[in-house]
Amino acid sequence: DIETTKWEKISPKSEFYLFIPREETLLKAYEKYPKITEVFILSNVGIVTARDNLTIHWSAEEAWTTVLNFSKMDNELARQAYNLGKDARDWKVEFAQKDLIESGLDKRKIIPILYRPFDIRYTYYTGRSRGFICMPRPEVMQHMMQENLGLVTVRQVAEGIFNHSFITDSIIESRLTLSNKGIAFLIPLYLYLDIDKKDLFSHKKEVEKRKPNIDSKILRLLSEVYSKEAPAEQIFYYIYAVLYSNTYREKYAEFLKIDFPRVPFTKDHKLFCRMAGYGNKLVELHLLKASELENPVTKFRGKGENDVEKVRYEKSCVYINNDQYFEGVHPEVWEYQVGG
Protein backbone atom coordinates (compact mmCIF):
# COMPACT_ATOMS: atom_id res chain seq x y z
CA ASP A 1 0.00 0.00 0.00
CA ILE A 2 1.33 3.40 -0.90
CA GLU A 3 0.37 4.78 2.52
CA THR A 4 2.16 2.09 4.58
CA THR A 5 5.18 1.19 2.43
CA LYS A 6 8.47 2.49 3.82
CA TRP A 7 9.90 4.29 0.80
CA GLU A 8 13.57 4.96 0.29
CA LYS A 9 14.65 8.02 -1.63
CA ILE A 10 17.09 7.41 -4.48
CA SER A 11 18.99 9.87 -6.66
CA PRO A 12 19.59 8.45 -10.15
CA LYS A 13 22.36 10.37 -11.86
CA SER A 14 24.73 10.37 -14.82
CA GLU A 15 25.92 8.32 -16.52
CA PHE A 16 23.72 5.28 -15.91
CA TYR A 17 20.70 6.70 -14.00
CA LEU A 18 20.16 3.48 -12.09
CA PHE A 19 16.85 3.26 -10.22
CA ILE A 20 18.30 1.35 -7.28
CA PRO A 21 19.59 2.47 -3.87
CA ARG A 22 23.37 2.73 -3.67
CA GLU A 23 25.89 3.73 -1.04
CA GLU A 24 26.32 7.28 -2.26
CA THR A 25 29.28 8.08 0.01
CA LEU A 26 31.16 4.99 -1.15
CA LEU A 27 30.20 5.69 -4.76
CA LYS A 28 31.57 9.25 -4.57
CA ALA A 29 34.87 7.92 -3.25
CA TYR A 30 34.99 5.19 -5.93
CA GLU A 31 34.25 7.62 -8.75
CA LYS A 32 37.31 9.66 -7.84
CA TYR A 33 39.51 6.77 -8.97
CA PRO A 34 40.41 6.63 -12.69
CA LYS A 35 38.74 4.02 -14.90
CA ILE A 36 41.06 1.37 -16.29
CA THR A 37 40.44 2.92 -19.74
CA GLU A 38 41.63 6.27 -18.38
CA VAL A 39 44.80 4.78 -16.95
CA PHE A 40 45.69 3.16 -20.29
CA ILE A 41 45.62 4.88 -23.68
CA LEU A 42 44.72 2.05 -26.05
CA SER A 43 42.29 -0.85 -25.58
CA ASN A 44 39.82 -2.84 -27.65
CA VAL A 45 37.74 -5.99 -27.51
CA GLY A 46 39.21 -9.36 -28.47
CA ILE A 47 38.99 -10.75 -31.99
CA VAL A 48 35.76 -12.20 -33.40
CA THR A 49 36.42 -15.14 -35.70
CA ALA A 50 32.77 -15.75 -36.73
CA ARG A 51 33.76 -19.40 -37.31
CA ASP A 52 35.74 -20.84 -34.38
CA ASN A 53 35.73 -24.40 -35.70
CA LEU A 54 37.58 -23.24 -38.82
CA THR A 55 39.93 -20.64 -37.33
CA ILE A 56 40.84 -21.90 -33.82
CA HIS A 57 43.03 -25.00 -33.42
CA TRP A 58 44.84 -27.02 -30.76
CA SER A 59 48.23 -26.89 -32.48
CA ALA A 60 50.13 -24.79 -35.00
CA GLU A 61 50.38 -27.81 -37.31
CA GLU A 62 46.62 -28.37 -37.27
CA ALA A 63 46.00 -24.67 -38.02
CA TRP A 64 48.47 -24.70 -40.95
CA THR A 65 46.96 -27.87 -42.44
CA THR A 66 43.47 -26.36 -42.24
CA VAL A 67 44.59 -23.14 -43.93
CA LEU A 68 46.28 -25.00 -46.79
CA ASN A 69 43.29 -27.27 -47.41
CA PHE A 70 40.57 -24.64 -46.97
CA SER A 71 42.24 -22.14 -49.30
CA LYS A 72 42.19 -24.61 -52.22
CA MET A 73 38.65 -25.97 -51.85
CA ASP A 74 35.58 -25.13 -53.88
CA ASN A 75 33.35 -22.72 -51.88
CA GLU A 76 30.50 -25.13 -51.26
CA LEU A 77 32.79 -28.07 -50.58
CA ALA A 78 34.68 -25.98 -47.99
CA ARG A 79 31.39 -24.96 -46.39
CA GLN A 80 30.38 -28.61 -45.96
CA ALA A 81 33.82 -29.90 -44.98
CA TYR A 82 34.17 -27.41 -42.10
CA ASN A 83 30.47 -27.16 -41.19
CA LEU A 84 30.43 -23.41 -41.80
CA GLY A 85 26.72 -22.86 -42.38
CA LYS A 86 25.37 -19.87 -44.28
CA ASP A 87 27.48 -16.81 -44.95
CA ALA A 88 26.99 -13.81 -42.65
CA ARG A 89 27.16 -10.14 -43.56
CA ASP A 90 30.78 -9.77 -42.39
CA TRP A 91 32.06 -13.30 -42.92
CA LYS A 92 31.81 -15.26 -46.16
CA VAL A 93 33.64 -18.37 -47.36
CA GLU A 94 34.72 -16.50 -50.48
CA PHE A 95 36.15 -13.59 -48.45
CA ALA A 96 38.00 -15.96 -46.09
CA GLN A 97 39.62 -17.91 -48.94
CA LYS A 98 40.56 -14.72 -50.78
CA ASP A 99 42.19 -13.33 -47.64
CA LEU A 100 44.29 -16.48 -47.20
CA ILE A 101 45.47 -16.51 -50.81
CA GLU A 102 46.28 -12.78 -50.87
CA SER A 103 48.21 -13.15 -47.60
CA GLY A 104 50.67 -15.40 -49.41
CA LEU A 105 49.95 -18.45 -47.23
CA ASP A 106 52.76 -17.63 -44.85
CA LYS A 107 53.45 -20.02 -41.96
CA ARG A 108 54.65 -17.08 -39.84
CA LYS A 109 51.02 -16.00 -39.62
CA ILE A 110 50.19 -19.01 -37.44
CA ILE A 111 50.21 -17.50 -33.95
CA PRO A 112 49.06 -18.43 -30.43
CA ILE A 113 45.76 -17.05 -29.17
CA LEU A 114 44.38 -17.09 -25.64
CA TYR A 115 40.98 -18.63 -26.29
CA ARG A 116 39.77 -19.14 -22.70
CA PRO A 117 41.56 -18.77 -19.33
CA PHE A 118 44.69 -20.97 -19.36
CA ASP A 119 43.62 -22.28 -22.81
CA ILE A 120 46.21 -21.35 -25.46
CA ARG A 121 45.38 -22.36 -29.02
CA TYR A 122 46.46 -21.32 -32.53
CA THR A 123 45.02 -19.33 -35.42
CA TYR A 124 46.06 -17.87 -38.77
CA TYR A 125 46.17 -14.10 -38.52
CA THR A 126 46.36 -11.68 -41.47
CA GLY A 127 45.04 -8.61 -39.67
CA ARG A 128 42.50 -7.94 -42.43
CA SER A 129 38.88 -7.42 -41.44
CA ARG A 130 36.13 -9.53 -43.02
CA GLY A 131 38.71 -12.08 -44.08
CA PHE A 132 39.69 -15.44 -42.60
CA ILE A 133 39.01 -13.85 -39.20
CA CYS A 134 35.94 -11.65 -39.22
CA MET A 135 37.14 -8.90 -36.84
CA PRO A 136 40.89 -9.18 -36.13
CA ARG A 137 41.22 -5.83 -34.23
CA PRO A 138 44.72 -5.13 -35.63
CA GLU A 139 45.02 -1.70 -33.96
CA VAL A 140 45.52 -3.47 -30.61
CA MET A 141 46.53 -7.01 -31.58
CA GLN A 142 49.56 -5.84 -33.58
CA HIS A 143 51.20 -4.82 -30.31
CA MET A 144 50.61 -8.30 -28.83
CA MET A 145 52.66 -9.94 -31.58
CA GLN A 146 55.74 -8.41 -29.98
CA GLU A 147 57.20 -8.94 -26.53
CA ASN A 148 54.35 -7.67 -24.39
CA LEU A 149 51.77 -8.26 -21.67
CA GLY A 150 48.06 -7.59 -21.95
CA LEU A 151 45.49 -7.00 -19.23
CA VAL A 152 42.07 -8.52 -19.91
CA THR A 153 38.88 -7.23 -18.31
CA VAL A 154 35.26 -6.41 -19.12
CA ARG A 155 33.01 -3.37 -19.13
CA GLN A 156 29.89 -5.10 -17.78
CA VAL A 157 29.31 -8.18 -15.67
CA ALA A 158 26.19 -10.21 -16.43
CA GLU A 159 26.81 -12.82 -13.73
CA GLY A 160 26.60 -10.39 -10.80
CA ILE A 161 30.12 -10.92 -9.40
CA PHE A 162 33.31 -9.39 -10.79
CA ASN A 163 35.71 -12.27 -11.50
CA HIS A 164 36.55 -10.99 -14.95
CA SER A 165 40.23 -10.18 -15.06
CA PHE A 166 43.07 -12.08 -16.67
CA ILE A 167 46.53 -11.74 -18.24
CA THR A 168 47.93 -12.63 -21.66
CA ASP A 169 51.10 -12.41 -23.71
CA SER A 170 49.28 -13.14 -26.99
CA ILE A 171 46.18 -12.00 -28.86
CA ILE A 172 42.81 -12.98 -27.36
CA GLU A 173 39.36 -14.11 -28.45
CA SER A 174 36.43 -11.85 -27.51
CA ARG A 175 34.70 -14.37 -25.20
CA LEU A 176 37.83 -15.14 -23.23
CA THR A 177 36.29 -14.27 -19.86
CA LEU A 178 33.33 -16.63 -20.36
CA SER A 179 30.75 -13.90 -19.81
CA ASN A 180 27.34 -13.80 -21.48
CA LYS A 181 27.36 -10.02 -21.57
CA GLY A 182 30.87 -8.78 -20.87
CA ILE A 183 32.99 -9.11 -23.98
CA ALA A 184 36.69 -9.24 -23.12
CA PHE A 185 38.72 -6.05 -23.56
CA LEU A 186 42.48 -6.28 -24.11
CA ILE A 187 44.82 -3.57 -22.81
CA PRO A 188 48.49 -3.88 -23.88
CA LEU A 189 51.22 -2.80 -21.49
CA TYR A 190 53.39 -1.42 -24.30
CA LEU A 191 52.76 0.15 -27.71
CA TYR A 192 55.32 -0.50 -30.44
CA LEU A 193 56.14 2.53 -32.56
CA ASP A 194 57.33 1.31 -35.97
CA ILE A 195 55.05 -1.59 -36.88
CA ASP A 196 54.67 -2.19 -40.61
CA LYS A 197 50.90 -2.14 -41.15
CA LYS A 198 51.30 -4.06 -44.43
CA ASP A 199 53.32 -6.87 -42.88
CA LEU A 200 52.84 -7.42 -39.16
CA PHE A 201 55.22 -10.38 -39.32
CA SER A 202 58.20 -8.77 -41.05
CA HIS A 203 60.32 -9.03 -37.88
CA LYS A 204 60.14 -8.76 -34.13
CA LYS A 205 60.38 -5.15 -32.98
CA GLU A 206 63.06 -3.94 -30.62
CA VAL A 207 61.89 -3.27 -27.06
CA GLU A 208 63.65 0.10 -27.22
CA LYS A 209 61.13 1.19 -29.87
CA ARG A 210 58.10 1.02 -27.66
CA LYS A 211 56.37 3.23 -25.11
CA PRO A 212 54.14 2.47 -22.12
CA ASN A 213 50.44 2.36 -22.93
CA ILE A 214 49.83 4.39 -19.76
CA ASP A 215 48.50 7.94 -19.76
CA SER A 216 51.29 10.45 -19.15
CA LYS A 217 49.21 12.21 -16.48
CA ILE A 218 49.04 8.99 -14.44
CA LEU A 219 52.80 8.45 -14.79
CA ARG A 220 53.51 12.02 -13.74
CA LEU A 221 51.12 12.01 -10.78
CA LEU A 222 52.48 8.74 -9.38
CA SER A 223 56.06 9.97 -9.76
CA GLU A 224 55.16 13.15 -7.87
CA VAL A 225 53.37 11.27 -5.06
CA TYR A 226 56.14 8.69 -4.64
CA SER A 227 58.99 11.20 -5.24
CA LYS A 228 60.46 8.72 -7.69
CA GLU A 229 59.62 7.24 -11.06
CA ALA A 230 56.94 4.56 -11.08
CA PRO A 231 57.98 2.02 -13.78
CA ALA A 232 55.25 1.02 -16.23
CA GLU A 233 55.53 -2.69 -15.44
CA GLN A 234 55.24 -2.02 -11.72
CA ILE A 235 52.05 0.02 -12.30
CA PHE A 236 50.70 -2.80 -14.46
CA TYR A 237 51.42 -5.43 -11.79
CA TYR A 238 49.91 -3.21 -9.07
CA ILE A 239 46.67 -2.89 -11.04
CA TYR A 240 46.52 -6.65 -11.61
CA ALA A 241 46.88 -7.25 -7.87
CA VAL A 242 44.13 -4.73 -7.10
CA LEU A 243 41.72 -6.39 -9.55
CA TYR A 244 42.31 -9.72 -7.79
CA SER A 245 41.95 -8.28 -4.29
CA ASN A 246 38.98 -9.83 -2.47
CA THR A 247 38.63 -6.64 -0.42
CA TYR A 248 38.41 -4.53 -3.58
CA ARG A 249 35.93 -6.90 -5.27
CA GLU A 250 33.65 -7.07 -2.24
CA LYS A 251 33.80 -3.38 -1.33
CA TYR A 252 32.95 -2.14 -4.83
CA ALA A 253 30.89 -5.14 -5.98
CA GLU A 254 27.83 -3.10 -7.04
CA PHE A 255 29.86 -0.63 -9.06
CA LEU A 256 32.04 -3.26 -10.75
CA LYS A 257 28.93 -4.78 -12.36
CA ILE A 258 28.11 -1.86 -14.60
CA ASP A 259 31.27 -0.31 -16.00
CA PHE A 260 35.02 -0.70 -16.40
CA PRO A 261 36.78 -1.17 -13.05
CA ARG A 262 38.34 1.89 -11.45
CA VAL A 263 41.81 1.76 -9.92
CA PRO A 264 42.45 3.06 -6.38
CA PHE A 265 46.12 4.06 -6.30
CA THR A 266 47.70 4.14 -2.86
CA LYS A 267 49.81 7.08 -1.70
CA ASP A 268 52.01 4.68 0.29
CA HIS A 269 54.98 3.74 -1.92
CA LYS A 270 55.89 0.69 0.19
CA LEU A 271 52.35 -0.63 -0.14
CA PHE A 272 52.42 0.11 -3.88
CA CYS A 273 55.62 -1.94 -4.25
CA ARG A 274 54.26 -4.79 -2.14
CA MET A 275 51.06 -4.98 -4.20
CA ALA A 276 53.08 -4.84 -7.41
CA GLY A 277 55.09 -7.79 -6.14
CA TYR A 278 51.89 -9.79 -5.59
CA GLY A 279 50.70 -8.79 -9.05
CA ASN A 280 53.96 -9.94 -10.61
CA LYS A 281 53.61 -13.37 -8.96
CA LEU A 282 50.00 -13.64 -10.15
CA VAL A 283 51.00 -12.76 -13.70
CA GLU A 284 53.66 -15.50 -13.76
CA LEU A 285 51.21 -18.04 -12.36
CA HIS A 286 48.40 -17.13 -14.74
CA LEU A 287 50.77 -17.24 -17.72
CA LEU A 288 51.92 -20.68 -16.47
CA LYS A 289 55.48 -19.35 -16.37
CA ALA A 290 56.23 -19.49 -12.65
CA SER A 291 59.59 -21.27 -12.37
CA GLU A 292 58.86 -22.63 -8.90
CA LEU A 293 56.26 -22.34 -6.19
CA GLU A 294 57.00 -21.72 -2.54
CA ASN A 295 56.08 -24.88 -0.63
CA PRO A 296 53.50 -26.27 -3.08
CA VAL A 297 50.69 -28.02 -1.22
CA THR A 298 49.26 -29.97 -4.15
CA LYS A 299 50.62 -33.34 -5.30
CA PHE A 300 49.57 -35.55 -8.23
CA ARG A 301 48.95 -39.12 -7.09
CA GLY A 302 48.08 -42.49 -8.58
CA LYS A 303 49.20 -44.57 -11.55
CA GLY A 304 47.59 -44.59 -14.98
CA GLU A 305 47.54 -42.95 -18.40
CA ASN A 306 46.76 -39.43 -17.11
CA ASP A 307 43.47 -39.43 -19.04
CA VAL A 308 40.93 -36.86 -17.89
CA GLU A 309 37.75 -38.95 -17.87
CA LYS A 310 35.46 -37.42 -15.28
CA VAL A 311 36.51 -34.69 -12.87
CA ARG A 312 35.18 -34.82 -9.32
CA TYR A 313 36.11 -33.20 -6.03
CA GLU A 314 36.19 -35.33 -2.90
CA LYS A 315 37.90 -34.80 0.47
CA SER A 316 40.34 -32.13 -0.76
CA CYS A 317 41.24 -34.23 -3.81
CA VAL A 318 40.47 -33.54 -7.49
CA TYR A 319 40.08 -36.82 -9.35
CA ILE A 320 40.62 -36.90 -13.12
CA ASN A 321 39.72 -40.60 -13.32
CA ASN A 322 39.12 -43.43 -10.86
CA ASP A 323 42.82 -43.95 -10.08
CA GLN A 324 44.57 -40.57 -10.41
CA TYR A 325 44.03 -37.33 -8.53
CA PHE A 326 45.50 -34.10 -7.18
CA GLU A 327 45.61 -34.01 -3.40
CA GLY A 328 45.78 -30.99 -1.12
CA VAL A 329 43.25 -28.84 -2.98
CA HIS A 330 41.48 -26.72 -0.36
CA PRO A 331 37.73 -26.05 -0.78
CA GLU A 332 38.28 -22.30 -1.32
CA VAL A 333 40.66 -23.10 -4.18
CA TRP A 334 38.26 -25.61 -5.77
CA GLU A 335 35.40 -23.10 -5.54
CA TYR A 336 37.41 -20.13 -6.83
CA GLN A 337 36.06 -18.77 -10.09
CA VAL A 338 37.78 -16.97 -12.97
CA GLY A 339 35.39 -15.26 -15.36
CA GLY A 340 31.70 -16.01 -15.85
Side-chain angles (χ1 to χ4, degrees):
D1 187 284
I2 197 170
E3 298 295 334
T4 58
T5 297
K6 293 182 179 179
W7 299 99
E8 182 174 348
K9 186 176 181 179
I10 59 173
S11 304
K13 62 179 183 178
S14 175
E15 67 188 277
F16 299 105
Y17 298 97
L18 299 177
F19 283 80
I20 57 173
R22 297 189 291 181
E23 292 187 52
E24 294 299 325
T25 303
L26 184 62
L27 178 60
K28 284 181 181 178
Y30 179 72
E31 287 182 336
K32 290 180 181 178
Y33 307 139
K35 288 183 186 180
I36 199 93
T37 48
E38 295 168 346
V39 176
F40 294 95
I41 302 164
L42 181 68
S43 65
N44 205 342
V45 295
I47 72 165
V48 175
T49 73
R51 297 294 185 276
D52 284 11
N53 56 325
L54 174 69
T55 58
I56 304 292
H57 298 278
W58 292 105
S59 67
E61 292 74 19
E62 183 184 330
W64 182 236
T65 300
T66 299
V67 164
L68 291 178
N69 292 338
F70 174 75
S71 64
K72 299 171 185 175
M73 286 182 173
D74 169 79
N75 280 10
E76 292 309 310
L77 182 60
R79 191 187 311 280
Q80 294 175 24
Y82 293 98
N83 193 26
L84 300 175
K86 294 181 180 180
D87 287 342
R89 185 193 67 178
D90 293 327
W91 193 93
K92 302 181 187 297
V93 171
E94 179 187 353
F95 292 173
Q97 290 178 319
K98 182 181 178 183
D99 183 31
L100 291 179
I101 293 168
E102 290 182 350
S103 75
L105 292 176
D106 189 342
K107 204 168 185 178
R108 293 179 303 165
K109 293 181 171 63
I110 301 290
I111 60 171
I113 177 171
L114 188 62
Y115 186 63
R116 298 291 182 264
F118 306 107
D119 185 359
I120 299 166
R121 305 201 194 178
Y122 292 85
T123 191
Y124 186 88
Y125 189 90
T126 68
R128 298 172 185 165
S129 296
R130 303 177 71 188
F132 186 65
I133 291 174
C134 181
M135 299 178 185
R137 320 288 188 197
E139 62 275 14
V140 168
M141 300 305 160
Q142 62 187 353
H143 301 289
M144 296 306 300
M145 293 174 196
Q146 315 301 323
E147 184 180 331
N148 215 339
L149 291 174
L151 175 65
V152 182
T153 191
V154 295
R155 185 173 188 174
Q156 293 175 310
V157 176
E159 297 80 13
I161 300 173
F162 179 81
N163 293 322
H164 302 68
S165 179
F166 209 65
I167 192 74
T168 185
D169 56 4
S170 64
I171 71 171
I172 69 165
E173 199 271 339
S174 64
R175 294 289 180 179
L176 165 63
T177 52
L178 301 177
S179 176
N180 294 326
K181 190 175 182 181
I183 292 184
F185 276 77
L186 175 61
I187 305 171
L189 170 56
Y190 291 107
L191 303 179
Y192 283 78
L193 306 177
D194 63 345
I195 293 176
D196 184 352
K197 300 296 190 295
K198 294 181 180 178
D199 185 4
L200 299 176
F201 304 87
S202 55
H203 60 277
K204 285 283 185 180
K205 309 305 172 189
E206 299 172 13
V207 294
E208 290 79 12
K209 295 183 179 179
R210 68 184 185 185
K211 66 175 184 179
N213 182 31
I214 299 175
D215 190 279
S216 57
K217 292 178 183 177
I218 298 291
L219 291 170
R220 187 175 66 253
L221 283 170
L222 290 176
S223 296
E224 289 174 358
V225 169
Y226 299 145
S227 299
K228 60 179 69 179
E229 182 183 352
E233 286 196 13
Q234 202 171 25
I235 295 171
F236 188 88
Y237 294 143
Y238 171 85
I239 292 172
Y240 200 62
V242 167
L243 295 182
Y244 269 88
S245 161
N246 290 331
T247 303
Y248 169 82
R249 290 181 175 187
E250 291 168 9
K251 185 174 183 178
Y252 303 119
E254 289 302 311
F255 315 139
L256 287 168
K257 292 179 186 178
I258 59 174
D259 200 4
F260 286 115
R262 292 177 178 267
V263 183
F265 284 103
T266 176
K267 293 180 180 179
D268 185 333
H269 186 252
K270 288 184 178 179
L271 178 58
F272 171 79
C273 292
R274 202 163 88 228
M275 288 289 285
Y278 292 142
N280 191 359
K281 285 185 177 180
L282 270 179
V283 165
E284 289 185 353
L285 286 165
H286 291 174
L287 289 176
L288 306 179
K289 291 184 176 179
S291 56
E292 59 181 73
L293 300 177
E294 297 173 5
N295 304 316
V297 296
T298 304
K299 303 287 185 183
F300 187 55
R301 304 293 192 188
K303 295 181 179 179
E305 298 299 319
N306 302 335
D307 290 336
V308 182
E309 296 171 358
K310 186 177 181 180
V311 178
R312 76 179 193 276
Y313 183 68
E314 188 178 303
K315 296 180 180 178
S316 297
C317 294
V318 178
Y319 287 82
I320 64 169
N321 54 49
N322 288 333
D323 303 310
Q324 295 177 287
Y325 58 92
F326 294 91
E327 71 172 10
V329 181
H330 299 299
E332 60 265 34
V333 175
W334 173 249
E335 293 167 5
Y336 195 86
Q337 186 171 323
V338 175

